[in-house]
Amino acid sequence: MWKWLHPYAKPERSYELASTLLPWFAVSSVITLLIGTIWGLAFAPVDYQQGESYRIIFIHVPAATLAMSTYMAMATAAFVGMVWQLKLSDAAAAAMAPVGAVLTAIALITGSAWGKPMWGTWWIWDARLTTELILLFIYIGIIALHNSFEDKVLAGRAAGILTLVGVINIPIIKYSVEWWNTLHQGATISKLDKPSMPTEMLIPLLINILGFALMIGALTLIRFRNEIIDRNSMRPWVRELVAQESK
Amino acid sequence: MHFESLSDFFAMGGYGFYVWLSYGVTFALLITLTVVSVRGRRNLINQIRSKQAREQKLKEYRKGNKKDEPKA
C-alpha cells in the first residue's frame, strides 16, 4: 500500500490526482443535488405534523450531518499533518475548513428558519443550537489561524492544535439531543434503528446527503489545488503551469 | 407531483417564506463559496505571474548593470 500511496506525498502528483477527480465530483454532485432537491420539494409527501415546512429537512440534515463529518475529516488530516509532518495533509485541512464553516452556517440558518414556524422562535440557547454555534466559531478560528501566518508550516501547526482540541465538540453536538432537554428533535436516521420517516421522504433525503457529500468533495478539491499552488509557487512545475495558463 | 398547482407549490402550505428562505440562503452561500474558490485559483496564478515578471525584470536590470560596470 505504501508503495502505491507514497507518490501522492509529492505535491505535483496530488495536484494531478485532484485535477482528474474534480470534474467527476462536480458533475455528479450537481446532478444528485438537482434530483434530490426537486424530489424533496415537489414530489415527497407532506408531513402529518409539520405540514410543508418539514421540506427544509432536505437541506438542513445533509448540511448539519456533513458539517460534522467534514470536521472529522479535517481533524484527521490535521492529525496526520502534525504527526508525520506531511505538508499536503495540512493543505487538505486548510482546504476543508471554509467548506465546513459554510455547511455549519447553512445548518444554523435553515434550522432557524425551520424553528420559527415550528417552535415559535428563531433561536434558543439550548444544547444543540449552542454547540452547533460553537462549531461555527471553531471553524472560523481555524480559518483565521491558517491565514494569520506567512509560514504555512507554522500556520498548519497552530490551526491543527485548535482543530484537534475542537474535536471534543463533535460528540457533544451529536448527543446533545439525548443528554439534555431540548426543543430539537432526535435523529431521524441512525445506523442502528429503523429510520423514523417513510421511504418516500427518506429516499430524497439520502440522495441529497450523497449530493452534499459529493459537492463537499468537489469544493475541497478546488481549494486543495489552490493550497498546493500557493505552497509551491517557487517550484518549476508550478511555474510551468502558470506559463501554460497565461497563453 | 405532490402539489396541485404552481401557486400551491410556491405557497408551501403557508410556510413558503421559511422554506424558500432556507433554500435561497443555502443556494446563495454555496454559489458564493464556489465562485470564491474558483476565483482563488485565478488570483493565485496572476500573483505568481506578476512575481515572476518582477524577478525577470530584476535579473535583466542586474545584467545591464554588470555590463555598465567596467565603463564606469
Side-chain angles (χ1 to χ4, degrees), chain A residues 15 42 55 223 245-246, chain B residues 2 23 37 41 49 52 55:
Chain A
Y15 183 90
R55 290 180 198 281
R223 304 195 67 93
E245 207 104 329
S246 311
Chain B
H2 168 75
Y23 278 82
S37 304
R41 181 191 157 81
R49 193 186 306 143
Q52 279 175 12
E55 278 169 15

Side-chain angles (χ1 to χ4, degrees), chain A residues 8-204:
Chain A
Y8 291 103
K10 252 174 103 180
E12 194 176 352
R13 292 285 295 127
S14 280
Y15 183 90
E16 277 168 20
L17 179 68
S19 306
T20 321
L21 291 175
L22 179 55
W24 297 96
F25 272 87
V27 171
S28 59
S29 74
V30 169
I31 294 171
T32 329
L33 282 175
L34 272 177
I35 296 172
T37 304
I38 292 171
W39 192 337
L41 272 176
F43 294 94
V46 65
D47 187 76
Y48 79 101
Q49 272 184 328
Q50 304 198 353
E52 311 288 2
S53 78
Y54 96 96
R55 290 180 198 281
I56 296 173
I57 202 174
F58 298 113
I59 43 179
H60 178 73
V61 166
T65 317
L66 292 167
M68 291 194 280
S69 317
T70 305
Y71 195 92
M72 289 320 289
M74 182 178 71
T76 310
F79 182 76
V80 170
M82 286 182 104
V83 174
W84 287 283
Q85 317 246 312
L86 211 70
K87 284 179 191 162
L88 277 174
S89 208
D90 282 341
M96 276 183 259
V99 183
V102 167
L103 287 173
T104 312
I106 290 173
L108 282 167
I109 294 167
T110 56
S112 206
W114 196 359
K116 182 64 186 161
M118 289 300 109
W119 304 340
T121 177
W122 293 98
W123 185 263
I124 176 177
W125 291 101
D126 80 344
R128 172 56 73 88
L129 280 68
T130 309
T131 49
E132 186 77 16
L133 187 66
I134 291 172
L135 180 67
L136 180 64
F137 291 155
I138 294 176
Y139 266 127
I140 293 171
I142 293 166
I143 297 168
L145 279 179
H146 272 298
N147 291 322
S148 41
F149 295 92
E150 193 69 29
D151 177 3
K152 288 293 174 191
V153 176
L154 198 63
R157 200 178 307 152
I161 291 169
L162 177 57
T163 309
L164 293 180
V165 171
V167 169
I168 187 69
N169 192 34
I170 298 295
I172 300 179
I173 298 176
K174 186 158 170 48
Y175 295 107
S176 57
V177 285
E178 291 165 30
W179 293 345
W180 292 284
N181 272 324
T182 169
L183 283 179
H184 198 285
Q185 64 198 61
T188 308
I189 345 165
S190 80
K191 270 174 211 142
L192 301 173
D193 298 324
K194 256 205 292 188
S196 54
M197 82 193 299
T199 323
E200 300 86 35
M201 295 178 184
L202 184 64
I203 294 172

